[in-house]
Amino acid sequence: MIERSPHCQATPSLPPQRADDALGRPGGDIRLLQVSAEIYPLLKTGGLADIAGALPAALATAGCDTRVLLPGLPAIRDGLRDAQAVGQFSLPWGEPVRVLRGKLPAVPGAAGSPVLAYLLDAPGLYDRPGNPYEDAQRRPYADNHRRFAALGWGAAHVARGLDPSWAPQLVHGHDWHAGLAAACLKFTAGPPVPVVFTVHNLAYQGIFSADVLGELGLPVSAFQIDGLEFHGQISFMKAGLFYASKITTVSPTYAREIQTPEQGFGLDGLLRSRRNDLSGILNAVDTTIWNPATDPLIARTYSVEQMTGKARCKAALQTEAGLQPHKDAPLFTVVSRLTEQKGLNLVLAGIDDLVQGGGQLLVLGSGDHALETAFGHAAQRHPGAVALRVGYDEAYAHRIFAGSDVTLVPSRFEPCGLTQLYGLLYGSLPLVRAVGGLADTVVDADLATLDDHTATGIVFASFSEADYRHAVRRALALYRQPRAWARVRQTGMQQNFSWAQAARHYRAVYAAALPDLSRIPT
Ligand code: ADP
Ligand code: GLC
């Protein structure tokens, strides 16, 4: 069965205002501004939004007074509540920006008060429907350098006191979209404000022609190897990596991988030179949203103690997806952006084996047309056993994790990955490649780990069809041993990916960044 649903969907709490510890040392409060292009529940194209949405509340419990800065994209602007103008500034090319302050909508079940957000109201830059980065033909917007330079300048203005009632001590930018913030702060007058920069995905770098340098409002001296120049072009990602005080990425293994030529996307040398400022902090899961015991979006709730609901979820999912209602057929699922990164050509290559082995496959994703078409053909070849829904559907993703037996994430590279974590917590065994955060979060079922009850999924090593297919065969074989399967599933569901630990790590990085204002040459 093949279905289509819309591409991108619009989908936490004001921490107590404890902004009076000017030192911001551990034990006191740190005022910080998170800067990201997307945020759950308002606008999401991938895991970045989940993390940006969860961090403010998590950091509040770690003693950080966190506000967020967001571009005025329609879904974000429409979702902001009680918005009021707090100031304005002009971009280097003369365009005015109003800065609004409002509240993010609370996620049902979340504790705490609403998170305060600053929004850049600049309709000329942001008032476009659909994907935040690309037009309807999936081409990056021609003015993306301006759209995201505005985010950097917005961060600098808020950090320099645009809102008379609150200013952060520190800025935390996410991915290339926020990469210019540290450069903007460095090249404007005022006391130094440290920036922590998090790499969610080094593959997307925000590279633009050197011709636009004059529009960015940065001095020509920034365009050099010790700056934002990258092979004769401008790299927003490199600006973030170079000018930030501290760099984090989203898993310990990815922090090591990006320092190698294989995974460094040309930035491994810079990352190696900054290794003392670089750390890997594993992403966590917001269990107010992702918890099968309380999830309002699934057919039946269930928990590790009471699993009957999961069978109901599986039956409901098979019906919804047009798969045969075989309760004993292992249901493999993919919830993913359809891109090269995710290794889905392996899934395509393994479909016939998977179906011959008695399995079913359901794919929810959108992106690459060739992948959409190829999965569509597979669904036609195997009616009732393979199903595809093209599109982006948050609620369906929940129903899939709840009904699924195996979550496939055979990525070429994976900075952290969240779907394998959702799979674990929903009792869907992750089948993953040992790379990035996948390697850090899934324990392969082998004789030893089955014996000592530490196994949580199936892990394969090399990015090859042969290794992937063997992993599928191992999953099918394990499924035929219900007691072993149940044991692995139970261990997976008991994993703790809560935010408390990650928030403590971020806080330690912030504390280390605050006194560190000397590294950047003037
Ligand atoms: P990435 O950020 O590289 O896309 P992650 O695994 O970190 O990968 O996060 C992906 C997030 O996006 C998860 O919350 C996943 O459920 C969600 N997601 C991906 N594709 C879809 C889709 N087609 N429909 C609904 N949710 C999706
Ligand atoms: C990126 C990565 C993904 C990670 C997510 C959130 O999109 O591709 O691996 O989980 O960011 O950090």
Side-chain angles (χ1 to χ4, degrees), residues 135-175:
D135 63 20
Q137 283 69 48
R138 297 189 179 165
R139 287 178 311 234
Y141 289 117
D143 58 350
N144 268 352
H145 62 287
R146 288 185 171 199
R147 299 172 77 235
F148 294 105
L151 199 56
W153 281 111
H157 283 283
V158 173
R160 297 238 179 275
L162 178 134
D163 177 352
S165 68
W166 187 90
Q169 295 163 285
L170 183 123
V171 171
H172 181 175
H174 296 270
D175 267 354

Side-chain angles (χ1 to χ4, degrees), residues 59 67 88 123 158 164 193 222 250-251 263 283 286 331 345 384 386 393 408 420 434 436 444 457 474 477 515 518:
L59 289 169
R67 298 187 183 187
Q88 57 184 42
V158 173
V193 178
V250 289
S251 70
Q263 292 234 40
N283 281 336
D286 188 339
L331 175 50
N345 52 328
V386 175
D393 187 333
L408 294 172
Q420 84 280 10
D444 186 40
R474 289 171 54 214
S518 55

Side-chain angles (χ1 to χ4, degrees), residues 29-47:
D29 291 338
I30 299 176
R31 296 186 309 277
L32 79 122
L33 183 70
Q34 299 276 334
V35 186
S36 66
E38 45 186 276
I39 192 163
Y40 181 90
L42 297 178
L43 178 68
K44 167 169 165 180
T45 69

Side-chain angles (χ1 to χ4, degrees), residues 8-11 41-44 75 394:
C8 163
Q9 261 189 359
T11 47
L42 297 178
L43 178 68
K44 167 169 165 180
E394 189 74 23

